[in-house]
Amino acid sequence: QVHLVESGGGLVQPGGSLRLTCTASGNIFVVNAMGWYRQAPGKERELIARITTSAGPNYADSVTGRFTISRDNANNTVYLQMNSLKLEDTDLYYCNAAGYSTDFTSFSSWGQGTQVTVSS
């Protein structure tokens, strides 16, 4: 199994910054892609940013220019630097990792979620 642990959420004022961290561990052979999603109550989970081993990062239009995703491949860790936060960025943020386990079966695992609240 592959487990993801997220951290870095919290309460911040509009215009502030937060940095989310997610580390994957377990029976990992390779992690091909890592990404961040967010979900508000009653709404579908939406992709915020994603980064793969073969391509550059991609972002949702709503966060382009404000959020930056980066990755530490050696430690199977992904970061999301969130700047110029807005009230509408308030959500539960989830990390996802996809790749292959040591038995060469594919996996797509989710973290438990970390709350980001933007409020004055």
Side-chain angles (χ1 to χ4, degrees):
Q1 288 187 342
V2 176
H3 301 280
L4 273 60
V5 177
E6 301 143 335
S7 63
L11 174 64
V12 65
Q13 292 185 340
S17 299
L18 284 174
R19 189 192 196 206
L20 305 183
T21 300
C22 171
T23 298
S25 63
N27 300 325
I28 297 173
F29 176 69
V30 65
V31 178
N32 292 327
M34 299 189 80
W36 290 95
Y37 296 70
R38 65 188 183 189
Q39 185 172 23
K43 294 188 177 181
E44 292 187 357
R45 193 169 295 183
E46 63 169 339
L47 174 65
I48 297 301
R50 190 170 183 262
I51 187 167
T52 68
T53 54
S54 59
N58 62 285
Y59 300 93
D61 290 343
S62 58
V63 305
T64 297
R66 300 188 298 122
F67 291 10
T68 302
I69 189 170
S70 60
R71 184 176 166 182
D72 177 355
N73 291 328
N75 294 301
N76 293 322
T77 297
V78 65
Y79 306 95
L80 186 67
Q81 178 66 43
M82 303 185 295
N83 299 328
S84 302
L85 282 161
K86 304 176 180 180
L87 297 175
E88 53 264 40
D89 293 319
T90 296
D91 259 326
L92 191 59
Y93 285 68
Y94 293 91
C95 174
N96 175 269
Y100 289 89
S101 300
T102 50
D103 62 359
F104 303 111
T105 58
S106 62
F107 71 85
S108 178
S109 297
W110 293 90
Q112 78 284 358
T114 184
Q115 178 67 39
V116 172
T117 302
V118 184
S119 175
S120 56

